[in-house]
Amino acid sequence: MKTIAANACRIVLALTFIFSGYVKASDPLGTQYKIHDYLEALGLAAYAPDWLTLCSSIALSAVEFSLGIFMLFAIRRRATSAAMLLFMMAMTAITVWIAIADPVSDCGCFGDAVILTNMQTLAKNIVLLACAATVYAWPLRMYRFISRPAQWIAINYTILFSLASSIVSLYLLPPFDFRPYHIGADLLKGMEIPADAPQPQFTTTFVLEKNGERKEFTLDDYPDSTWTFVDSKTVQTSEGYVPPIHDFSIQLEDGTDATDNILTHKGYTFLLISPHLETADDSNFGDIDRIYEYAKQHDIPFYCLTASTGKAIQHWQDITGAEYPFANTDETTLKTVIRSNPGLLMLRGPVIVGKWSHNALPDISDPDVSPDKLQSLHDNTRPASQKVLLVILWFILPLTMLTLADRTWAWTKWIRRKRVKPQQHIKHLKTKNNMRKKIVAGNWKMNMNLQEGIALAKELNDTLTAEKPNCGVIICTPFIHLASVAQFLNQDVVALGAENCADKEKGAFTGEVSAEMVKSTGAQYVILGHSERREYYNETPEILKEKVLLALKNGLKVIFCIGESKEEREANKQNEVVKAELEGSVFNLTAEEFANIVIAYEPIWAIGTGLTATAEQAEDIHAYIRSVVAEKYGQEVADNTSILYGGSCKASNAPELFAKPDIDGGLIGGASLKAADFKGIIDAWK
Ligand code: 13P
């Protein structure tokens, strides 16, 4: 249930954040205007310059989009889910405020693509907050869709993609236009109010006085003339129908309203749109002037619509040589019409047929090109479904190619390392060999009662204190022995470990023993992934991964067992098996965490059977295991990792096994149950 809940919530969060992040990234100016609205409601707009609100808009979309993608692919699961929870807590607090105080009419969560009321936004955020809390509770239950080594590529590419989307949209125009002024929109139709549309409703209250007493009345209970009128108040109780275009008007410089004239003109009209001429980009004025010349030549009316006043218009004319007429339109309307200052609109009658950023104005190098041809020169002609597909391809294709390139590079590196001459290889490892710890560890399994265990531990402790071993010695005992045995051990000589720990932190798990409990006995190690537990107690790679994380979290070092079965060895699949076991449960760790892992290679066919892998067989696979660790964490980490051999290891075969460069000691079962046998193996290091 936890896995299903975590993954379901992760998908809901991912899709919502990718959508809201991309919609914002594809219209950075729209998001900037919304941020400005919020700051205005807080009385802070004067302190936030335009560049700051624009950068905040781009950063906000990048954060949302990246969190969405990281959630989808389950990248850096713990960090992403913590960041997601923090983000949702902050956003929910803001939406509680807008639901109560109503400072903005639309939250702007999804740009202009989906408009929610403040109450709908609050409800949405409460659901998302619950999802974020669920994912935060069980981050490691999210299935990864991208391998760990490829994550850095996805992280960088996602951030780059989001920033590039914002920049392209700023330079050109948003690829998706959700506003009522999109190409194909009929401005007159957008202003129409249907005959049966709901009208705005008003209520009037009258204040009247009689014999010094004042009372409020409505038209329904208006009293007789003995009452004297004092005051009246009229309030709007419902807004009625508001058409999508309700504030578009064009006032010429002489004060006449030219809206109807322009929108009912039969042919084409050019409208150069600049909400603020003071802040308009004047770098493309030459192209604009050429289009004005073209308009005159083809008898096409041309106006510049702005909210700026005479002085700014005069300044614009001075610096650009503009000769076209100016007209006045509401600033917010102009900002809604086109996300470019200045931007160009081409109308045919009341219908918008072309829309260009000043950075990509239509090419009229041939002044005889017909206006019909010109109107098709905007780059927004693709249907929306094609545009969505293009955006997805722009994200997926480069990401896939980068990942393939990275994996190929890692693979060739691995091949190159394998080609190093064997002699050179061994010499190299031998010099490094001194860096890692030699260990002989005992695994008592389910043997010995408490008294027998204490006696053995004491005997070993005494023997090895008297005659210092040349290696680290560990005994791993059943849980029941740990606390008592810990009393008798000098752990500088013989360290103590458990044979298992739970995959849960604490709580109602009858019979289980947590990593924290193991640690509290004084133990320093725990064996995890032993083939007997994998086989008889169905411990899966996922369960082991949890156990490893909990053990490390509680300060225990892990002896992590891997090894193939007889059938797998016969099918020559041993390398594949051990690699998958490492990848399944410990390769999620950071290099720093991995420093606390001791690997024990234990071929299942050799455990307790009397069959030992030959020293050559063992060395081959140990060298392979080290190369896999090197591929994952680098050569230095690999050189520092102790890899023990386990499986019918005894005093007679230990010296030959331990002489091999990649065998750093043993994990001993049967032969660890008698002090003399165990000491015989420890002495192999002498
Ligand atoms: P034996 O040494 O008894 O073969 O057992 C090896 C083992 O499983 C250690 O964990």
Side-chain angles (χ1 to χ4, degrees):
M1 281 312 287
K2 286 178 190 169
T3 307
I4 293 173
N7 283 289
C9 290
R10 160 254 190 121
I11 297 294
V12 171
L13 287 166
L15 296 182
T16 312
F17 271 66
I18 291 171
F19 181 65
S20 70
Y22 181 75
V23 161
K24 287 191 183 86
S26 67
D27 184 12
L29 284 179
T31 311
Q32 180 195 18
Y33 300 151
K34 194 42 86 182
I35 292 175
H36 187 268
D37 289 350
Y38 277 99
L39 292 174
E40 203 146 57
L42 290 165
L44 296 173
Y47 304 103
D50 280 353
W51 65 263
L52 185 64
T53 46
L54 183 59
C55 289
S56 312
S57 148
I58 295 173
L60 178 68
S61 51
V63 167
E64 284 187 24
F65 184 74
S66 305
L67 279 178
I69 294 288
F70 297 171
M71 247 317 133
L72 183 67
F73 290 119
I75 290 171
R76 301 279 152 92
R77 292 171 293 183
R78 273 177 287 194
T80 301
S81 54
M84 184 65 98
L85 184 61
L86 276 178
F87 190 89
M88 279 320 303
M89 278 166 30
M91 286 301 154
T92 311
I94 293 175
T95 40
V96 168
W97 167 56
I98 63 169
I100 295 170
D102 209 20
V104 290
S105 55
D106 145 43
C107 65
C109 303
F110 300 119
D112 294 304
V114 181
I115 308 282
L116 297 179
T117 65
N118 290 344
M119 274 326 227
Q120 287 168 332
T121 301
L122 179 60
K124 173 206 77 168
N125 276 6
I126 289 173
V127 172
L128 292 182
L129 181 63
C131 289
T134 309
V135 168
Y136 179 74
W138 304 300
L140 301 185
R141 295 196 178 253
M142 289 191 272
Y143 296 119
R144 282 216 186 96
F145 289 169
I146 194 160
S147 72
R148 218 164 188 275
Q151 287 189 1
W152 70 272
I153 299 176
I155 292 172
N156 290 315
Y157 185 69
T158 301
I159 296 171
L160 202 76
F161 178 84
S162 174
L163 295 179
S165 300
S166 293
I167 291 165
V168 169
S169 303
L170 272 180
Y171 189 78
L172 301 172
L173 291 177
F176 301 93
D177 194 344
F178 300 107
R179 281 154 287 126
Y181 300 94
H182 54 85
I183 289 177
D186 182 325
L187 300 185
L188 283 177
K189 275 221 175 83
M191 291 182 193
E192 272 171 16
I193 300 183
D196 55 349
Q199 297 296 317
Q201 301 293 322
F202 299 92
T203 311
T204 305
T205 323
F206 302 92
V207 182
L208 292 110
E209 195 177 80
K210 183 175 165 181
N211 302 333
E213 183 199 357
R214 276 190 182 197
K215 249 179 119 179
E216 287 193 356
F217 299 92
T218 62
L219 271 180
D220 297 335
D221 61 352
Y222 203 83
D224 58 33
S225 57
T226 54
W227 289 78
T228 324
F229 175 82
V230 178
D231 197 7
S232 71
K233 292 178 280 188
T234 302
V235 286
Q236 187 171 356
T237 49
S238 83
E239 201 177 15
Y241 174 80
V242 181
I245 298 176
H246 50 271
D247 44 12
F248 184 84
S249 72
I250 302 171
Q251 294 247 301
L252 297 183
E253 280 179 297
D254 61 9
T256 48
D257 188 332
T259 319
D260 275 349
N261 270 352
I262 291 174
L263 297 187
T264 52
H265 173 70
K266 285 280 173 265
Y268 290 103
T269 307
F270 281 117
L271 298 177
L272 180 69
I273 309 282
S274 173
H276 266 298
L277 284 169
E278 294 87 331
T279 52
D281 189 326
D282 58 18
S283 51
N284 298 300
F285 76 88
D287 291 342
I288 296 172
D289 290 347
R290 264 192 294 283
I291 291 170
Y292 175 55
E293 289 306 322
Y294 172 87
K296 278 200 300 189
Q297 190 185 328
H298 290 263
D299 278 336
I300 301 174
F302 186 115
Y303 298 92
C304 173
L305 308 190
T306 179
S308 292
T309 50
K311 214 168 140 197
I313 294 175
Q314 184 62 54
H315 180 67
W316 179 261
Q317 286 171 325
D318 290 346
I319 55 171
T320 65
E323 289 173 1
Y324 36 81
F326 287 80
N328 195 268
T329 300
D330 176 67
E331 179 191 339
T332 310
T333 305
L334 293 180
K335 283 177 169 174
T336 314
V337 172
I338 192 164
R339 302 295 201 209
S340 173
N341 184 17
L344 185 70
L345 222 58
M346 188 179 187
L347 304 183
R348 188 168 54 215
V351 179
I352 298 177
V353 293
K355 217 171 167 180
W356 297 271
S357 150
H358 65 88
N359 289 311
L361 290 166
D363 179 14
I364 46 149
S365 43
D366 171 12
D368 294 327
V369 62
S370 80
D372 291 338
K373 179 117 198 318
L374 200 65
Q375 63 144 331
S376 63
L377 288 180
H378 57 80
D379 59 356
N380 238 330
T381 43
R382 285 195 185 88
S385 55
Q386 251 184 44
K387 284 195 250 174
V388 170
L389 200 69
L390 260 178
V391 171
I392 294 176
L393 284 182
W394 262 107
F395 186 72
I396 299 286
L397 272 187
L399 186 60
T400 312
M401 275 154 65
L402 281 169
T403 308
L404 279 179
D406 177 69
R407 290 299 79 208
T408 313
W409 182 77
W411 177 72
T412 51
K413 210 169 116 194
W414 181 73
I415 294 283
R416 278 200 303 276
R417 210 170 31 240
K418 280 209 87 173
R419 283 209 192 116
V420 175
K421 286 194 193 111
Q423 252 347 82
Q424 250 177 310
H425 185 59
I426 288 169
K427 200 170 140 217
H428 163 74
L429 284 174
K430 276 211 160 142
T431 45
K432 297 267 181 184
N433 224 357
N434 300 329
M435 293 166 67
R436 55 185 174 262
K437 205 168 169 185
K438 311 285 174 276
I439 297 171
V440 173
N443 174 8
W444 289 5
K445 306 194 180 180
M446 199 173 75
N447 291 298
M448 280 183 294
N449 63 27
L450 182 60
Q451 290 70 31
E452 289 164 347
I454 291 173
L456 175 59
K458 261 180 165 175
E459 191 186 351
L460 260 178
N461 192 65
D462 292 346
T463 314
L464 296 174
T465 306
E467 194 188 323
K468 288 264 180 301
N470 253 359
C471 61
V473 176
I474 307 165
I475 52 171
C476 298
T477 76
F479 293 131
I480 193 88
H481 296 69
L482 290 173
S484 310
V485 165
Q487 314 283 325
F488 299 103
L489 291 184
N490 170 3
Q491 289 209 38
D492 288 338
V493 180
V494 184
L496 182 62
E499 294 171 21
N500 184 21
C501 71
D503 62 336
K504 306 286 185 303
E505 200 146 21
K506 58 158 40 171
F509 301 105
T510 305
E512 286 294 278
V513 175
S514 72
E516 191 197 355
M517 292 171 188
V518 169
K519 180 72 183 173
S520 71
T521 63
Q524 301 181 30
Y525 288 84
V526 60
I527 297 176
L528 292 174
H530 197 284
S531 56
E532 286 150 13
R533 292 214 59 89
R534 289 184 198 256
E535 192 180 346
Y536 307 138
Y537 300 96
N538 302 323
E539 292 195 353
T540 61
E542 285 72 31
I543 293 174
L544 290 170
K545 193 191 281 183
E546 295 292 332
K547 291 190 175 196
V548 169
L549 287 171
L550 285 169
L552 296 182
K553 186 176 166 195
N554 285 285
L556 292 169
K557 292 193 171 70
V558 174
I559 301 173
F560 189 74
C561 304
I562 53 178
E564 81 286 3
S565 64
K566 190 161 171 270
E567 296 70 26
E568 286 161 343
R569 167 66 67 165
E570 281 165 355
N572 201 23
K573 287 203 168 139
Q574 60 276 17
N575 287 6
E576 228 172 277
V577 171
V578 293
K579 186 174 183 198
E581 285 176 330
L582 290 171
E583 285 175 341
S585 306
V586 291
F587 274 4
N588 55 314
L589 302 175
T590 62
E592 206 178 291
E593 291 168 329
F594 192 80
N596 294 307
I597 303 285
V598 171
I599 297 173
Y601 167 66
E602 297 200 303
I604 300 171
W605 47 271
I607 296 177
T609 56
L611 292 172
T612 325
T614 64
E616 286 69 32
Q617 271 176 329
E619 169 57 19
D620 272 353
I621 194 155
H622 276 229
Y624 172 74
I625 292 166
R626 200 175 303 287
S627 75
V628 172
V629 174
E631 191 190 345
K632 169 74 191 160
Y633 292 107
Q635 194 61 49
E636 196 180 336
V637 172
D639 288 337
N640 283 320
T641 303
S642 301
I643 306 177
L644 314 184
Y645 170 79
S648 299
C649 182
K650 32 194 187 283
S652 56
N653 56 22
E656 195 190 351
L657 285 163
F658 295 2
K660 294 292 177 192
D662 283 296
I663 301 179
D664 306 309
L667 178 57
I668 319 298
S672 70
L673 299 176
K674 285 200 179 115
D677 293 350
F678 196 45
K679 170 89 172 24
I681 298 173
I682 293 166
D683 284 345
W685 280 118
K686 287 213 160 154

